Amino acid sequence: MTILAIVTLAVWVLAFVIPPGSYDRTDTGAPVEGTYHRVDTGRSFTDRLNDLFLSPVNGLYGVQDPKTGEVGPSLAGELYGSAGVFLFVLAIGAFITVVFATGALDRGIGRLAHRLRERGALLIAGIMVVFSVLGTVEGFAEETLGFYGLIVPLMLALGYDRMVATGAIILGAGVGVMCSTVNPFATGVASSAAGISLGDGIVLRFAMWLVLTAVTVAYVVRYASRVRKDPARSLVGFLPGDREQGAAEGGAVPELTRTHKLVLVLLTLVFAFMIFSVVPWSSALTGDADATPYAWELDWSFPQLAALFLLAAVLVGLVARMGEAKLSSTVIQGAADFISPALVIVLARGVTVIMNNSQITDTVLHAIEGAVRGAPSALFGVLVFVVNLPLAFLIPSTSGHATLAMPILAPLADFAGVSRAVVVTAWAAASGWMNLWVPTTAVTIGGVALAKVGYDKYLRFVAPLLGILFVLVCGFVALGAAVT
């Protein structure tokens, strides 16, 4: 929270320095190349101070006016704040706490840790590959916030630290999104805005996904093995009770009662249903971002998922015969335990509201347009990747970033003699690379808060990998540009 408070103040101050500007836009909201112009926002110092004062409120339930684009708590339009994610995190907290209160998850983790005590690296790799596949296919990212309550205790039981769980979740899903092969929310939107097929450039993206996923898995497994051999080498240390969970090497294997087994089955079904409910199956299977949803698709988002986990918490309590008083108090305690990461997500969203109301995003986009224009084809792909990095910080949403940048950057590829698919690939990599660490994305800042590892320590852990991935991406997009 302290880091986000500093970021909020820094962005608010920068909004006084960066001049506001805007592009003319089409009916779909896409900016028109060559139409950038400076604008007068008409915002007084009092208005700007009000943006800073209300940033946490706007981060929760700020509403965006469709005509002016301004975000405020009393406007009419579409919800801009992260109220859905906020409630989702609280509901997850309630559900996981109820499951733990039954004793089923503790015993289940204990049995699984005992069976995998010699194959922990295989488990880490399996978790990361599954998340990476979901990330590259359908942008599975924010949904991973629900898995910390399961994976953190499991990693501790296997003798690892909390950073291993954090890396497996954030980096596993993140590297998949970074190399979005057919992700309709990233590559699909970007390809449509660039006027090309979703399949264009898929060979390059698939090759990049294979290599980057393998490198990322190896990086996390290497750190995990080092910590397990020598706990003193942990970057985050261990909280009270963490080492006690690492007793998977010996001792009696905990028994599971019939009630415990039933609770674990419900737990598995709830998470499986969550994944099924959020996947855009028609887009994922056809490759068309605008495909008509199948009749059986649910197209759920965070409001529905929050309701699902609250209902599941009650169902687990009934199955375990907890009683009304204990179930109610456990649900409340679970939500209370998760209020910190939920508030972190809200503060991160509040930063983007300040940038939106100050109208500085188009100014940054215009600077990127000028940096890329006229570059040699061999350098073009690398430049597109590099100059999109600051824009990805301003716009953590992949679909919003694509809608804004592609109409400007894609035509420039034609002048450089480079395939527009290379622009899409470079853009997706830039967005994904930044979202592995920037404090304005709920996936990262919410994840480290849920895992209780500290954002500064996470940055120290991930910094070398970020450098490796940066070099690899530059190599892939440069190769793609050279081949085309």
Side-chain angles (χ1 to χ4, degrees), residues 183-235:
N183 176 6
F185 303 113
T187 309
V189 175
S191 298
S192 176
I196 60 176
S197 166
L198 181 61
D200 290 342
I202 193 171
V203 174
L204 176 64
R205 291 192 297 272
F206 182 72
M208 191 165 71
W209 175 78
L210 285 176
V211 173
L212 268 60
T213 299
V215 169
T216 304
V217 170
Y219 184 86
V220 175
V221 168
R222 178 176 176 271
Y223 171 81
S225 300
R226 192 171 63 205
V227 168
R228 194 177 190 188
K229 291 177 182 177
D230 182 7
R233 302 186 69 179
S234 169
L235 292 176

Side-chain angles (χ1 to χ4, degrees), residues 161-316:
D161 65 1
R162 292 172 177 268
M163 188 64 79
V164 174
T166 306
I169 297 172
I170 295 179
L171 300 178
V175 76
V177 175
M178 185 177 172
C179 307
S180 293
T181 50
V182 292
N183 176 6
F185 303 113
T187 309
V189 175
S191 298
S192 176
I196 60 176
S197 166
L198 181 61
D200 290 342
I202 193 171
V203 174
L204 176 64
R205 291 192 297 272
F206 182 72
M208 191 165 71
W209 175 78
L210 285 176
V211 173
L212 268 60
T213 299
V215 169
T216 304
V217 170
Y219 184 86
V220 175
V221 168
R222 178 176 176 271
Y223 171 81
S225 300
R226 192 171 63 205
V227 168
R228 194 177 190 188
K229 291 177 182 177
D230 182 7
R233 302 186 69 179
S234 169
L235 292 176
V236 293
F238 296 89
L239 298 177
D242 282 358
R243 296 301 292 158
E244 285 75 4
Q245 295 191 48
E249 294 293 338
V253 181
E255 293 294 329
L256 291 175
T257 66
R258 186 169 178 271
T259 299
H260 290 151
K261 293 178 181 178
L262 185 55
V263 169
L264 292 176
V265 169
L266 285 173
L267 176 73
T268 304
L269 290 176
V270 168
F271 276 96
F273 184 75
M274 179 192 77
I275 295 172
F276 168 80
S277 67
V278 300
V279 173
W281 293 101
S282 57
S283 299
L285 296 178
T286 64
D288 181 5
D290 300 318
T292 302
Y294 298 130
W296 43 267
E297 276 188 54
L298 295 180
D299 192 29
W300 278 14
S301 188
F302 292 108
Q304 292 87 351
L305 293 179
L308 168 68
F309 280 100
L310 286 175
L311 179 63
V314 174
L315 182 59
V316 168

Side-chain angles (χ1 to χ4, degrees), residues 129-146:
V129 169
V130 169
F131 280 175
S132 182
V133 169
L134 291 171
T136 195
V137 169
E138 61 96 10
F140 193 79
E142 285 89 349
E143 296 84 356
T144 59
L145 295 173

Side-chain angles (χ1 to χ4, degrees), residues 70-155:
E70 182 180 351
V71 176
S74 59
L75 300 177
E78 185 176 350
L79 179 67
Y80 191 90
S82 56
V85 184
F86 178 83
L87 291 174
F88 170 69
V89 171
L90 297 187
I92 281 287
F95 174 69
I96 291 297
T97 303
V98 169
V99 172
F100 267 114
T102 67
L105 194 54
D106 302 74
R107 295 191 178 204
I109 289 172
R111 291 179 67 87
L112 182 61
H114 181 80
R115 291 183 179 182
L116 297 173
R117 60 189 182 278
E118 303 297 337
R119 293 180 289 174
L122 182 63
L123 177 65
I124 295 170
I127 291 172
M128 294 185 69
V129 169
V130 169
F131 280 175
S132 182
V133 169
L134 291 171
T136 195
V137 169
E138 61 96 10
F140 193 79
E142 285 89 349
E143 296 84 356
T144 59
L145 295 173
F147 287 87
Y148 283 87
L150 296 174
I151 295 177
V152 170
L154 178 57
M155 292 300 149

